Amino acid sequence: MLPEPDARAAAALADDLSAAGYASAAVRAAWGDDADDAIARGLHRPALRALGERRDPLAVLARLFVLGVPQPAPDVAGAVPTAGLDGLVQLGLVADAAAAGDPAGGGGRSIRPLVLIRPQSFADAGGEVEWWIASDLDEAALGGSLPVEHVLGVGGASRTLAGIQLPTPTVSVLDMGTGCGIQALRARRHAETVLATDISERALRFTRLNALLNGVTDIVTARGTLFEPARDEAFDRIVSNPPFVITPRRDGVPEYEYRDGGMVGDALVEAVIAGVGARLKPGGVAQLLGNWESRGDVDGLDRVRGWVARSPVPLDAWVIARENLDPIAYAELWIRDGGTVPSDPAFAGLMDAWLDDFATRDVTEVGFGYVLLRRPVDGTVSLSRYEAVWQSLGDEAIGGHLAAALAAHDRATALDDAGIAASVLKAAPDVTEARHQLPGAEDPTVIELRQGGGFARTLSVDPALAGLVGACDGDLPVGVLIDAIAQLLEVDAVELRADLLPRVRELLFTGFLVFA
C-alpha cells in the first residue's frame, strides 16, 4: 500500500522537480516528438535511445518516473538533493533494486521506481498550468499485465473529462471516482472546495499526494462507492470518470478497480444517472463519461434517454455519443487494456467471456460519450438533446464551448419568437462559409457553414439562412434582417420568420451565432 503522503517530503520533492526543469515540454524535447508519441503506445525504447548516456537530473528523473527504469543511486540522489533518497522512500515512490547484475547500477546500488510521476501541461481560461501527476507503474514499466488494484495515470479518458469540465466559477464540486485525482485538481481551478471520492484507498492516497506535489489545497478525500461518501451533501458541480467499462461477471476475468464498477452491462452508468439529480443543488451541473449498450433494435442513446426520463429528479440533459464499437472491437480494446494481447494463451478465453456476456443481452454496439445533466432551478426541463458527434476534435478542450451553449440556451429559452426577432446577433468569429457549385452554374448547389471551434460542426444551409448568418454583424435585429432577406428572395416574410427563427435558436445553441 502506498504510504500516507507526508506534506514536507512532498514539498521537498516538488522543489527538486522544479529545479531539474522536470516539465512536459522539456521532457518531450529531451527525447524528441516521435519518441514521446511512442511512449503513449507503450514503446519506451526510442526514448531511452534518445537519452543515451545523459545523467543530468532531467534525464535521470525522466528515465525513473516517466519510463519506470531503475537508475543508479548516486544519480537519483543528485537529482533530488532536497528530498533525498530517504524522502522518496518515505513517500513510497522508490525502493532499492537488486544490486547484483543490475545494468542501471553497474553492479552497485540502484533505485527502482514504485510509481510514475509524469509532468502534465494544459491551458485553460486561467492560463497555462504544469503539474506532476503520480500514478502506478504502467504495463511497459511492469513488463506484464496490470494488477487489479492499479491506479491509472492521466489517460485519454481523463484528458477528455478534464477538457469538457465547465470552466466557470462555482462553489462545491464532487469528483466521484477520482483515481489519481486529476479531475479534482482541474475542478479546484474553478471551485472553492472539492470532495474527491473513490472505492480505492490507494487511489485516494495518490490524490492526496498529487495535491501536495502541486500545492493545491481544499481537496478533501473520502472512501466509498458512488454517492455514499458524500452522505446527504448536495453540490454545485459533479464530475465523474466512473468505472464504466462493461466487463463479464465471470470467474477468470480480471476486474480492475480503476475501470470496473462491478455491475452487469452498463448498469453502473444508469445508476449514476439515477442518483445524480438528488446530489445536485438547483442549477447544479453533472458531467460524466460513460459507455452504453445498443440492444437489439434499441439504440444506446435512446436507452440513456430512458434513464434520464426515469430520474426521480427532473434533469436537463445533453448527451453526446463520440464513438460506437461493435462487441468484438470493444472486447479487444479492454482485454488489451489489461495487458493481455492476442498471442497470450488467456486471450481467447477472455474474448469468449466478453462475447458470451454481450450475447445474453443482445448487444449490437457499445457507445462511448459525454453526459451533461443539470438540475433546473425551477424544476422545469428545458433541454433534452441526444446527438452523435463523430468528427475528431484533436486535443481541443471544449468545456468553454459547453458553458457558452448552456448560457445561450438559457437566454434563448427565456425569449419568445418576438424576442428572438428583436435580438441583435453576430456570427461567431470561428464560422466560415463554403459554397459548391457546378461549373458554369449561377447558383451554388451546396452552401455549408463550418465551425472552427467547439464540435467543429458543418451544416448544410439554404440561401436564406446563409444570408441571415452573413448579415448578423451586431448591427440590426434578426427580424429586420429576415424581412430584408424575404424581400430580396421574393418570399413571404411571415413564412420566412416561421422557418428561420427555430433554426436561429439552434445556431445560438451550437455556437454559430452569438448574442451581440
Side-chain angles (χ1 to χ4, degrees), residues 22-94:
Y22 189 60
S24 53
V27 170
R28 187 176 178 93
W31 47 48
D33 293 346
D34 292 342
D36 198 65
D37 293 339
I39 292 171
R41 304 193 300 273
L43 302 176
H44 289 181
R45 188 60 193 166
L48 288 170
R49 285 171 55 87
L51 289 179
E53 300 300 319
R54 285 180 55 177
R55 300 178 67 177
D56 56 281
L58 177 65
V60 171
L61 291 169
R63 288 193 198 94
L64 187 72
F65 287 133
V66 175
L67 305 180
V69 176
Q71 295 295 287
D75 291 353
V76 178
V80 290
T82 308
L85 291 178
D86 288 344
L88 298 188
V89 172
Q90 180 184 8
L91 290 168
L93 307 180
V94 302

Side-chain angles (χ1 to χ4, degrees), residues 261-493:
M263 298 186 184
V264 174
D266 51 20
L268 187 282
V269 177
E270 181 180 6
V272 173
I273 291 174
V276 76
R279 302 302 182 131
L280 287 172
K281 295 178 181 178
V285 173
Q287 294 179 273
L288 61 137
L289 306 181
N291 279 160
W292 42 79
E293 297 176 337
S294 294
R295 297 179 180 175
D297 296 330
V298 183
D299 182 75
L301 278 179
D302 288 336
R303 295 186 62 245
V304 178
R305 188 193 302 270
W307 300 341
V308 175
R310 291 192 294 273
S311 168
V313 176
L315 293 170
D316 287 330
W318 186 7
V319 181
I320 302 160
R322 296 289 290 125
E323 183 180 23
N324 277 342
L325 292 178
D326 63 72
I328 296 173
Y330 187 87
E332 180 185 6
L333 170 67
W334 294 111
I335 295 170
R336 285 180 178 271
D337 179 77
T340 303
V341 297
S343 59
D344 292 337
F347 189 91
L350 291 173
M351 178 62 74
D352 285 342
W354 248 279
L355 297 184
D356 289 345
D357 179 62
F358 284 140
T360 63
R361 297 185 300 278
D362 194 19
V363 175
T364 56
E365 276 187 329
V366 180
F368 166 82
Y370 321 147
V371 179
L372 187 154
L373 304 169
R374 183 174 62 173
R375 183 171 181 171
V377 174
D378 62 359
T380 302
V381 173
S382 64
L383 177 62
S384 182
R385 188 181 182 96
Y386 299 80
E387 60 179 326
V389 180
W390 304 130
Q391 60 266 29
S392 173
L393 303 179
D395 295 327
E396 183 177 358
I398 60 168
H401 174 73
L402 300 182
L406 291 178
H409 166 79
D410 292 342
R411 184 169 176 181
T413 300
L415 299 173
D416 58 13
D417 281 353
I420 294 291
S423 299
V424 178
L425 308 180
K426 296 176 65 175
D430 63 329
V431 172
T432 57
E433 181 185 284
R435 294 181 175 238
H436 308 273
Q437 60 193 79
L438 296 173
E442 281 191 29
D443 299 317
T445 54
V446 177
I447 306 174
E448 291 179 333
L449 297 178
R450 297 175 178 174
Q451 187 178 51
F455 284 111
R457 301 176 191 266
T458 297
L459 301 178
S460 292
V461 298
D462 54 41
L465 187 58
L468 177 60
V469 172
C472 285
D473 57 4
D475 185 16
L476 297 175
V478 168
V480 173
L481 296 176
I482 292 177
D483 291 345
I485 292 170
Q487 185 175 6
L488 182 66
L489 297 178
E490 298 181 344
V491 298
D492 183 80

